[in-house]
Amino acid sequence: MMISTIANKPASIPAFRTGDERLVKLTASAAHKVSSLLTKQGRPTGVLRVAVVGGGCSGLQYKMDLQDAPANRDILVETAGVRVVVDPKSALYVTGSELDYIEALDGGFKVKNPNAATSCSCGESFSA
């Protein structure tokens, strides 16, 4: 007789890990902006995904997206009342980073990353 292991697997085991603010943290201004964007999109319990992808003038760039929930293998961090998720590969580049939001003509989200060896003038790409 064949037994399905999927049926016996507990449904309460999360497919993501929990981290802390040593990975990434938000300022109060960034947390307020992310919360308001999530609410506007009808996802008050959603998450902010922070990722690093190839590209930009310095070789690597940040990618941010609002999503409903963490994905498989993500690292979930609760910071300033907001849930932030980072995939394991991006975690290597963003560890120790702080995300801020500046209300200005040239403002927006700014990442202060201690791992960045250099960054471009626009602040959206970096090299490690």
Side-chain angles (χ1 to χ4, degrees):
M1 179 159 89
M2 193 171 209
I3 299 173
S4 171
T5 57
I6 295 172
N8 295 330
K9 184 178 176 184
S12 63
I13 297 176
F16 58 88
R17 295 180 289 165
T18 303
D20 60 34
E21 288 184 329
R22 289 177 293 178
L23 177 60
V24 64
K25 70 180 185 177
L26 272 61
T27 64
S29 176
H32 177 74
K33 185 64 174 180
V34 171
S35 293
S36 70
L37 290 170
L38 284 166
T39 301
K40 280 183 186 176
Q41 287 190 2
R43 316 177 196 210
T45 60
V47 298
L48 169 68
R49 173 170 301 284
V50 177
V52 174
V53 296
C57 28
S58 294
L60 298 169
Q61 63 186 3
Y62 302 105
K63 180 180 175 190
M64 292 179 230
D65 190 24
L66 300 176
Q67 298 180 340
D68 291 327
N72 190 26
R73 299 190 62 220
D74 278 344
I75 303 166
L76 173 70
V77 175
E78 297 234 11
T79 172
V82 173
R83 298 183 333 146
V84 179
V85 293
V86 180
D87 66 87
K89 193 171 187 178
S90 295
L92 298 171
Y93 296 103
V94 301
T95 298
S97 294
E98 180 181 71
L99 181 62
D100 193 12
Y101 182 77
I102 300 166
E103 287 275 350
L105 186 58
D106 65 342
F109 287 101
K110 303 290 182 188
V111 180
K112 295 176 188 163
N113 187 342
N115 305 304
T118 60
S119 61
C120 66
S121 60
C122 68
E124 294 179 13
S125 69
F126 67 101
S127 67

